[in-house]
Amino acid sequence: MPFLLTPLIVVFYSNSILGGEISQRENSDRESNFEKKRKRELLKMNLGFVVGVFGILILSHAAYSTIQYRGLLKIMEEEFSRPPMNVVLELIIGVALCLWAALTLPGKFLSIHPDSDENRAVSLPDNSEFMIFNHRGRLFPPQIDMKF
Amino acid sequence: MGSVEKRSKDVMSDIPTFSAENLQNNLKVIQNSRTFLSIIAGVLAGIIGFNGLTGFVFYFVVMLITSVGLMAKAGFSADLYFDSLNRVLFDGFLGGLMSFVLFWTFAYDLVHIF
């Protein structure tokens, strides 16, 4: 039973960590778009993780029910053709949950077009203080029509 | 100045360029999804009790469902995320077969024989 709570603990812990980071900054009321997107992505990944764990638990419970059903059939000396209907229902639910988790957990698809909004060519690097722009490159005409 | 820009724009539209590291990230995502789902398919086939050829047919059915799911995740427009449609549909088809057979025999032994 406690191990069922650990995914929920992971969810709340990660959310509180992100909340703690932001409250320590000076402008704590405003979240940047980047922080919001990261929080949303982390929340969705954690939700997918919890859903996946639930799906696996439901599948293992269905396996246990099938083992018991087979024991019952051995007592009654009948053939095993297919699992009982409630086990089939559990299997369908478990597989649906695992399918959703398998499509959400590994991550998002990133656009491969170089012109899209999220593939911007320039982002502020950490050492932007050391960059100078007063060099001879200003005499060259711009070659590529890049989005900044 | 205007003619220089037009020429460079023509060169840009002739060569198909895309961000290769994003393409690699997308391929990794579908590889992970297919591996996980082939393991789940193995456990399912073991619990239901498939024997022989039926199990392999079940594996291909699950892989087709995975392809449909991945297409739905990509929004049914693979041009935005992949360079060719065949990649998203048929990339890791046979890669998960070994994992499927492993977990199929494992679950079958666990449920039906042990």
Side-chain angles (χ1 to χ4, degrees):
Chain A
M1 202 55 194
F3 70 85
L4 278 178
L5 295 176
T6 44
L8 295 172
I9 294 175
V10 166
V11 171
F12 290 129
Y13 191 55
S14 64
N15 279 341
S16 69
I17 281 180
L18 283 172
E21 265 179 18
I22 293 172
S23 66
Q24 278 169 15
R25 279 175 22 188
E26 289 173 37
N27 42 357
S28 57
D29 345 320
R30 294 176 271 138
E31 279 182 5
S32 63
N33 271 344
F34 176 65
E35 295 281 348
K36 266 187 218 157
K37 213 187 272 184
R38 214 172 64 129
K39 231 176 151 178
R40 212 183 307 147
E41 203 174 299
L42 202 63
L43 189 64
K44 202 160 187 189
M45 270 186 65
N46 274 330
L47 183 69
F49 185 66
V50 168
V51 164
V53 166
F54 268 135
I56 292 178
L57 284 178
I58 290 176
L59 280 181
S60 45
H61 181 259
Y64 189 65
S65 305
T66 318
I67 294 176
Q68 284 186 326
Y69 178 69
R70 268 194 84 94
L72 181 72
L73 284 186
K74 249 182 233 162
I75 294 176
M76 300 198 316
E77 288 181 5
E78 286 177 17
E79 275 288 317
F80 176 85
S81 65
R82 60 167 188 77
M85 278 315 289
N86 56 340
V87 169
V88 170
L89 194 65
E90 266 187 39
L91 285 177
I92 291 176
I93 293 175
V95 160
L97 288 181
C98 283
L99 187 71
W100 192 85
L103 289 177
T104 320
L105 263 184
K108 282 176 45 126
F109 280 150
L110 299 174
S111 162
I112 64 173
H113 275 169
D115 296 336
S116 69
D117 271 341
E118 47 218 21
N119 287 346
R120 291 159 69 118
V122 166
S123 60
L124 283 180
D126 290 332
N127 61 345
S128 60
E129 301 276 326
F130 293 99
M131 292 182 166
I132 54 170
F133 298 101
N134 192 18
H135 52 73
R136 61 187 176 174
R138 71 176 187 270
L139 299 175
F140 293 132
Q143 297 281 338
I144 307 172
D145 186 17
M146 283 205 314
K147 253 191 181 180
F148 289 106
Chain B
M1 201 57 183
S3 63
V4 167
E5 279 185 22
K6 206 186 292 181
R7 238 186 303 157
S8 55
K9 260 191 209 147
D10 284 341
V11 166
M12 277 287 285
S13 62
D14 276 341
I15 305 173
T17 60
F18 49 85
S19 161
E21 76 175 59
N22 282 354
L23 180 72
Q24 257 187 349
N25 172 65
N26 295 347
L27 287 179
K28 197 171 64 149
V29 163
I30 61 175
Q31 191 87 351
N32 284 344
S33 294
R34 279 197 195 273
T35 312
F36 183 61
L37 275 176
S38 60
I39 290 177
I40 296 292
V43 170
L44 201 69
I47 293 176
I48 296 180
F50 285 129
N51 276 324
L53 203 59
T54 321
F56 290 102
V57 169
F58 178 69
Y59 172 70
F60 281 111
V61 165
V62 170
M63 280 294 119
L64 282 175
I65 294 176
T66 318
S67 296
V68 169
L70 285 170
M71 282 297 291
K73 182 179 169 134
F76 290 106
S77 71
D79 297 334
L80 200 56
Y81 301 115
F82 298 95
D83 51 351
S84 76
L85 197 65
N86 289 336
R87 272 191 199 273
V88 63
L89 287 182
F90 301 121
D91 191 24
F93 240 64
L94 296 178
L97 190 64
M98 297 292 170
S99 312
F100 169 76
V101 169
L102 177 69
F103 278 89
W104 178 20
T105 51
F106 179 61
Y108 193 88
D109 290 343
L110 207 60
V111 172
H112 295 277
I113 298 181
F114 176 63

